[in-house]
Amino acid sequence: MSGIPERLQAVENAIVAACAEARRPPAAVRLLAVSKTFGADAVLAAVEAGQRAFGENYVQEGVDKIRAVADALPAVLPNMSPDARLAWHFIGPIQSNKTRPIAEHFDWVHTVEREKIAVRLSEQRPPALGPLNVCVQVNISGEASKSGAAPADVAALAEAVARLPNLRLRGLMAIPEPAADLAAQRAPFAAMRTLFEQLRANFGPDFDTLSMGMSADMRAAILEGATIVRVGSAIFGARDYNN
Ligand SMILES: *Cc1c(COP(=O)(O)O)cnc(C)c1O
């Protein structure tokens, strides 16, 4: 796990720098550490370095890791206050037969792109856990990507999510196609910001989240108003397989 605290610090510094460039307060952007393909030991190393929010893409891997981390946490951080508990975000594609473990184990879901999935997540959310925080995933790159709701369908889907009793609509998420330079990276993020601002009037103060930006494009995302950046390889290192 060597290097995780140093890389985490470097990513935090880059977020602060991008916020300064964007004239936004540094607290306006939260870091989601994407731990997919890495073990509980990597998560615990990041927790020791102060990180509290983690993102997972695969249901079974995520649930196993949530359990393993919870079991190991008291020994790693015996004095961690209960308010500082970890938050787990599901950020992968959702199959309708896998919604239950997501509803039962995660705090957030960023990848709701169909009403049917939202209905299942709400039905399966144990009320004692409180509402599941949801972002609607937007297909902002059009033809190039298969994931996410078409921009024209996002308002109706967001309204459907907002009506479900055990979900809390928080905002929008996107994974634009990779682009080489800053201007090309900014264009889809700017379109996301426009969509987000159009919808914000309908949904009140809970609608506060624009989840966009990864290791390679988080500066562009922050310049265009991201409130959560999802960063994996820049913290944990290169993954063995790609997703
Ligand atoms: C893997 C992944 C990330 C993190 O990607 P990196 O390039 O490793 O920072 C962010 N968001 C989603 C949805 C992912 O699947």
Side-chain angles (χ1 to χ4, degrees), residues 34 36 57 91-92 111 173 175 213-216 230-234 239 243:
V34 177
K36 66 182 176 199
N57 283 58
I91 62 170
T111 42
M173 177 271 204
I175 315 172
M214 323 205 303
S215 296
R230 310 176 309 265
V231 179
S233 48
R239 286 181 292 274
N243 196 316

Side-chain angles (χ1 to χ4, degrees), residues 32-38 55-58 90-93 110-111 137 173-175 211 213-218 229-239 242-243:
L32 181 65
V34 177
S35 44
K36 66 182 176 199
T37 81
F38 292 93
E56 289 288 332
N57 283 58
Y58 310 103
F90 190 80
I91 62 170
H110 293 224
T111 42
Q137 184 176 358
M173 177 271 204
I175 315 172
S211 165
M214 323 205 303
S215 296
D217 58 10
M218 67 174 201
V229 289
R230 310 176 309 265
V231 179
S233 48
I235 298 170
F236 295 109
R239 286 181 292 274
N242 256 332
N243 196 316

Side-chain angles (χ1 to χ4, degrees), residues 100-135:
R100 184 176 296 281
I102 297 173
E104 290 179 348
H105 294 279
F106 284 84
D107 304 292
W108 284 71
V109 177
H110 293 224
T111 42
V112 168
E113 55 177 8
R114 286 188 286 148
E115 185 175 352
K116 180 185 167 194
I117 296 289
V119 168
R120 291 178 66 91
L121 287 169
S122 183
E123 282 171 1
Q124 294 168 343
R125 178 68 169 176
L129 295 182
L132 181 63
N133 296 290
V134 166
C135 291

Side-chain angles (χ1 to χ4, degrees), residues 38-75:
F38 292 93
D41 49 351
V43 172
L44 290 164
V47 171
E48 273 196 271
Q51 180 64 26
R52 294 291 178 266
F54 294 90
E56 289 288 332
N57 283 58
Y58 310 103
V59 178
Q60 195 56 52
E61 177 192 335
V63 170
D64 291 347
K65 204 176 301 177
I66 290 169
R67 292 207 175 99
V69 168
D71 288 347
L73 200 55

Side-chain angles (χ1 to χ4, degrees), residues 142-180:
E143 299 283 292
S145 157
K146 286 170 225 73
S147 300
D153 299 335
V154 168
L157 178 55
E159 273 157 28
V161 169
R163 282 194 297 267
L164 290 165
N166 297 320
L167 303 185
R168 182 172 170 214
L169 177 69
R170 298 300 300 270
L172 305 179
M173 177 271 204
I175 315 172
E177 282 299 289

Side-chain angles (χ1 to χ4, degrees), residues 219-231:
R219 177 176 162 227
I222 291 169
L223 292 176
E224 295 298 348
T227 68
I228 294 183
V229 289
R230 310 176 309 265
V231 179

